[in-house]
């Protein structure tokens, strides 16, 4: 019989511990339940600075998305905080009322941002003021982006102050510059990154950061957040105030130990654990990650976390009960605000006998410092030139004796060449600090059949963190492959599990007469192996290609597509009935109000797409809500055509020159629900005043003088902002419908999976698209029109499944169905 393993925390430590347990056969040993505060899968927190700067999207940084938990039979409660542990009866108590029993418990609650005391940081109700941000979670990052993009106080240049000049603060400062803000960093230490480097290195880093246009104020302590209605600045001790509109606090982290304290576990600076990662005096409770205190040390880097997770997994699975964690030698290697930084051990000499070798070239932003004791390296700082970091990291980690020629530690003169350095690295040398990947793991991946750099990266996760190790990863893979590294063809695959680009994949599906996702895997996937990450893209593509001939398989859909509603962070769903062109009626409004009242809908919200959103509907109540609404779906959830936003047009507006509302309803009636590689949002404006924001939609239509219509494509106004390109000006609504449909079909057939039109149009080129759509340069215009018509003809309102679920569990509640034992509170 399996034991019950409960994990509190779904961050990098908790998920990594579970991965290590699964790798040791844990799926056969445990029924695993995880709780996470955040409503997501597990993502790489290190990459949040890349999301802030716009280099990566949210979706790019997930280590394990929600389907991973289902595939591994892990029960995941997202957005649910555990309040208390009863270690005597072995139960955990969650804030939403859940009570779960465990045989083994892992606490991985991580850490939280530290907000130093200062006036004006909180509202009278105790919440952090609007305009003040921490930088710890995906939601933090999204809020910062939203504020930086949209909440400028007027025409003046917006300004941001980042409190804290460590790694995270500098990354935040650099990221905010991407939104056109003037940024200043306030740091209480005497120099930047004083936890990682000495004053000389800090001074050169300051020059590099200031050269990027970021103001730096070191030795400054923030005493107050200024402003009443909105943020106007920060007050500094003994220095003039700084004007700003937003404040980001990156002044350190603190272990998140609340649940351990409340539950009576041993807590000092963190949760006290032994060398097996067991909580002190608790046989069945383990802890891992930033919430842990081991031998007096609390770690805030990723590498120790990986090492702890491996030992914990060895012990809890019984694979190696002698495995012990004896602490970590911490090394940091990152690109901070565009500057290569590596730091390990001591910043400078501590004893008279210590050797200290320093090279400084401020004009190029290069600084190198190495501290040597007893002919072994005990510390190093590299700034602006990290070419020797692999060799130095190995020497530091393994305590290697150093060559007599010290200069070779810093430069290639008289030292091993790059290739020799890679060859001489020990298998245990860690190449990727973010994901704890060693040289040996990369070599094993190559010997296991990974013949390209990206394949080795996918297998080991090396290079999937901050990315600063990619050069080293490439060198190791090339060395291991003996120079026989192949160019990665997977970069051109439409979905990762089928080795074909989109055009070839479509040809194979048609020529073989494949009609379902499982048939595609059986016919085209290597070893006929099904790949979960490929299913959703394949299902969308086949539905677009085959229309009514497509055989639907529900396990190929994301949860939103399976239940035709948008899952929310608390596990409930939002229901959005259709209002074509944003037009509604008294009867519809009354029905929506009645349904909201009858089902105790907790929130009714107007959407940006001119719809009414009913939020907080439990999964099992979706069929009842739809039955009572008896309105079509508003498609607020899928990778498909969604809405057509309109202005009131010529019938009511004094400036309207075209019937925008009528055309919007016509477009939405025709294209409702059609599948696409990504969501499609449309708009129709009745005059060039553009009140429906047509210029920033995937397809936007604007009425102009003379009864004509301009059609724009490839616009966006979300995380990315782009004014659409003018495709054509036509004379009639019929031509608008034809050309919009032809473009959308061309996009559906040629865009990459999840590629929005704002990326597709500039990639393909507006001139080329015009030649295909307008001039029929490829002779496919008639076929595009016919294919779109076939999709239109196959439309079925998805909410019609409400009375006849396709599977027994389609609308089954995800909540426990059995009454859990009542445990007395001690």
């Amino acid at each position: 019989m399996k034991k019950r393993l409960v994990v509190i925390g779904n961050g990098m430590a908790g998920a990594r511990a579970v991965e290590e347990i699964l790798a040791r056969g844990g799926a056969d040993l445990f029924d695993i339940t995880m709780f996470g505060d955040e409503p997501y899968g597990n993502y790489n927190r290190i990459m949040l600075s890349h999301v802030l700067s716009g280099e990566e999207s949210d979706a790019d940084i997930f280590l394990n998305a929600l389907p991973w938990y289902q595939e591994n039979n892990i029960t995941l409660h997202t957005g649910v905080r555990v309040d208390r542990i009863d270690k005597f009866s072995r139960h955990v108590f969650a804030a939403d009322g859940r009570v779960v029993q465990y045989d083994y418990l892992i606490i991985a609650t991580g850490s939280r941002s530290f907000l130093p005391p200062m006036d004006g940081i909180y509202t009278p109700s105790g919440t952090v003021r609007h305009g003040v941000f921490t930088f710890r979670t995906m939601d933090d990052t999204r809020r910062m982006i939203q504020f930086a993009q949209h909440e400028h106080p007027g025409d003046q240049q917006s300004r941001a102050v980042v409190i804290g000049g460590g790694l995270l603060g500098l990354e935040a400062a650099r990221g905010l510059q991407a939104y056109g803000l003037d940024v200043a960093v306030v740091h209480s230490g005497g120099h930047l990154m004083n936890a990682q480097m000495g004053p000389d290195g800090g001074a050169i880093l300051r020059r590099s950061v200031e050269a990027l246009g970021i103001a730096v104020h070191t030795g400054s302590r923030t005493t107050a957040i200024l402003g009443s209605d909105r943020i106007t600045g920060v007050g500094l001790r003994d220095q003039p105030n700084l004007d700003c509109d937003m404040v980001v606090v990156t002044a350190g982290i603190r272990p998140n130990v609340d649940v351990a304290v409340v539950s009576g576990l041993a807590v000092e600076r963190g949760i006290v654990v032994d060398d097996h990662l067991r909580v002190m005096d608790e046989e069945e409770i383990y802890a891992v990650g930033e919430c842990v205190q081991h031998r007096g040390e609390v770690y805030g880097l990723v590498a120790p976390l990986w090492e702890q997770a491996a030992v914990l997994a060895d012990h809890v699975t019984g694979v190696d009960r002698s495995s012990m964690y004896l602490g970590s030698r911490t090394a940091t290697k990152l690109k901070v605000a565009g500057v290569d930084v590596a730091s390990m051990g001591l910043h400078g000499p501590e004893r008279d006998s210590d050797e200290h070798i320093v090279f400084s070239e401020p004009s190029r932003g290069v600084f190198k410092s190495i501290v040597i004791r007893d002919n072994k390296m005990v510390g190093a700082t590299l700034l602006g030139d990290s070419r020797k970091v692999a060799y130095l990291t190995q020497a530091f980690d393994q305590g290697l004796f150093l060559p007599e020629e010290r200069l070779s530690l810093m430069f290639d003169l008289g030292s091993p060449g790059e290739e020799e350095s890679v060859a001489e690295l020990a298998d245990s040398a860690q190449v990727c600090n973010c994901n704890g990947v060693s040289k040996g793991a990369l070599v094993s991946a190559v010997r296991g059949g990974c013949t390209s750099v990206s394949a080795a990266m996918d297998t080991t996760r090396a290079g999937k963190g901050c990315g600063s190790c990619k050069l080293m990863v490439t060198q190791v893979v090339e060395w291991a492959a003996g120079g026989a590294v192949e160019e990665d063809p997977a970069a051109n695959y439409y979905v990762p599990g089928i080795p074909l680009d989109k055009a070839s994949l479509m040809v194979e599906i048609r020529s073989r007469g494949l009609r379902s996702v499982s048939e595609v895997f059986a016919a085209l996937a290597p070893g006929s192996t099904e790949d979960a990450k490929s299913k959703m893209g394949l299902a969308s593509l086949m539905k677009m290609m085959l229309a009514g001939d497509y055989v639907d398989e529900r396990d190929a859909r994301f949860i939103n597509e399976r239940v035709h509603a948008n899952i929310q962070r608390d596990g409930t769903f939002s229901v959005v009935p259709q209002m074509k062109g944003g037009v509604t009626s008294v009867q519809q409004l009354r029905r929506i109000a009645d349904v909201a009242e009858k089902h105790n809908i907790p929130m009714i919200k107007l959407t940006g797409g001119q719809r009414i959103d009913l939020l907080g509907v439990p999964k099992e109540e979706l069929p009842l809500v739809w039955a009572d609404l008896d309105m079509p779906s508003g498609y607020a959830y899928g990778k498909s055509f969604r809405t057509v936003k309109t202005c009131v047009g010529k019938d009511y507006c004094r400036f309207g020159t075209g019937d925008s509302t009528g055309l919007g309803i016509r477009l939405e009636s025709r294209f409702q629900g059609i599948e696409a590689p990504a969501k499609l949002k449309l708009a129709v404006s009745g005059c060039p005043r553009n009140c429906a924001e047509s210029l920033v939609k995937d397809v936007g239509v604007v009425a102009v003088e003379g009864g004509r219509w301009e059609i724009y494509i490839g616009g966006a106004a979300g995380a990315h902002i782009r004014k659409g390109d003018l495709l054509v000006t036509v004379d009639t609504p019929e031509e608008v419908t034809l050309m919009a449909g032809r473009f959308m079909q061309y996009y559906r057939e040629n865009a990459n999976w999840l590629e929005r039109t704002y990326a597709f149009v500039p990639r393909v080129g507006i001139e080329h698209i015009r030649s295909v759509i307008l001039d029929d340069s490829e002779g496919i215009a008639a076929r595009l029109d016919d294919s779109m018509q076939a999709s239109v003809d196959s439309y079925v309102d998805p909410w019609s499944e409400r009375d006849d679920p396709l599977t027994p569990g389609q609308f089954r509640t995800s909540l426990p169905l059995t009454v859990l034992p009542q445990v007395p509170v001690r």
Side-chain angles (χ1 to χ4, degrees), residues 590-610:
R590 184 175 292 121
R591 193 178 309 157
I592 291 171
D594 289 343
V595 168
E597 186 175 48
K598 176 180 177 181
H599 293 277
N600 297 315
I601 302 292
M603 175 173 278
I604 304 170
K605 180 81 172 62
L606 299 183
T607 75
Q610 298 179 332

Side-chain angles (χ1 to χ4, degrees), residues 349-498:
E350 289 182 334
R351 304 175 184 172
D352 293 340
S353 58
D354 288 345
E355 293 180 58
H356 191 202
I357 305 170
V358 178
F359 174 82
S360 178
E361 191 176 4
S363 61
R364 287 204 309 129
V366 174
F367 176 83
K368 302 183 181 186
S369 161
I370 298 174
V371 183
I372 301 171
R373 179 178 299 166
D374 300 330
N375 204 29
K376 295 181 181 179
M377 197 180 80
V378 292
T381 303
L382 302 177
L383 192 65
D385 181 358
S386 59
R387 284 176 293 179
K388 298 296 290 185
V389 70
Y391 178 76
L392 295 179
T393 301
Q394 182 189 19
F396 175 74
D397 284 345
Q398 301 182 14
L400 301 179
F401 286 104
L402 301 178
E404 292 182 2
E405 176 52 80
R406 304 301 198 206
L407 199 60
S408 65
L409 299 174
M410 291 187 172
F411 307 101
D412 289 338
L413 295 174
S415 69
E418 292 292 335
E419 294 77 11
E420 292 172 316
S421 293
V422 171
E424 291 182 354
L425 278 177
D427 279 353
S428 59
Q430 191 153 291
V431 177
C432 173
N433 289 327
C434 296
N435 287 309
V437 182
S438 66
K439 173 192 169 185
L442 282 166
V443 172
S444 296
V446 173
R447 291 173 180 167
C450 296
T451 55
S452 67
V453 174
S454 59
M457 290 170 63
D458 288 341
T459 300
T460 62
R461 289 189 176 172
K464 298 286 187 177
C466 70
S468 64
C469 65
K470 286 182 178 176
L471 174 61
M472 191 64 192
V473 172
T474 301
Q475 291 173 347
V476 171
V477 172
E478 289 175 344
W479 171 81
V485 175
E486 298 176 358
E487 184 178 348
D488 183 17
N492 298 317
Y493 297 168
Y494 185 61
V495 292
I498 307 293

Side-chain angles (χ1 to χ4, degrees), residues 182-224:
D182 282 340
V183 184
V185 173
V186 176
H187 187 56
S188 60
H191 59 273
L192 295 174
M193 289 184 63
N194 55 299
Q196 287 83 23
M197 65 180 64
D200 295 336
I204 291 180
L205 178 61
R206 176 176 184 149
R207 289 182 56 156
S208 299
V209 171
E210 289 178 332
L212 299 171
I214 298 171
V216 177
H217 304 267
T218 54
S220 301
R221 191 173 295 277
T222 309
T223 57

Side-chain angles (χ1 to χ4, degrees), residues 18 121 160 202 247 303 335 346 611:
V18 171
I121 193 170
V247 176
K335 188 179 285 290
L346 301 180
R611 305 291 185 274

Side-chain angles (χ1 to χ4, degrees), residues 165 186 252 278 294 354 389 444 455 519 524 526 704 786 809 812 826:
V186 176
R278 279 182 310 201
H294 172 263
D354 288 345
V389 70
S444 296
E519 288 181 356
L524 302 176
V704 294
D786 292 343
R812 182 181 296 158
R826 296 174 191 273

Side-chain angles (χ1 to χ4, degrees), residues 481-522:
V485 175
E486 298 176 358
E487 184 178 348
D488 183 17
N492 298 317
Y493 297 168
Y494 185 61
V495 292
I498 307 293
L500 294 170
D501 61 30
K502 187 172 186 178
S504 302
L505 176 58
M506 292 173 67
V507 168
E508 290 292 334
I509 290 172
R510 286 200 177 97
S511 64
R512 295 170 183 250
L514 306 177
R515 297 176 59 206
S516 68
V517 169
S518 60
E519 288 181 356
V520 172
F521 282 124

Side-chain angles (χ1 to χ4, degrees), residues 109-162:
T109 45
S111 56
R112 55 182 167 75
S113 298
F114 172 62
L115 290 173
M118 62 186 88
D119 295 335
I121 193 170
Y122 296 105
T123 66
S125 63
T127 60
V128 175
R129 282 183 60 182
H130 184 62
V132 179
F133 302 89
T134 55
F135 189 20
R136 183 69 187 156
T137 68
M138 188 176 287
D139 287 343
D140 289 341
T141 309
R142 288 174 173 169
R143 284 191 285 266
M144 289 167 63
I145 293 172
Q146 173 72 17
F147 192 94
Q149 285 183 325
H150 303 296
E151 300 201 31
H152 292 188
D155 296 332
Q156 67 187 41
Q157 178 72 43
S158 290
R159 290 154 295 193
V161 166
V162 177

Side-chain angles (χ1 to χ4, degrees), residues 665-676:
I665 293 173
R666 176 178 182 156
L667 291 172
E668 188 161 343
S669 299
R670 177 169 174 76
F671 299 117
Q672 57 188 340
I674 62 167
E675 300 281 336

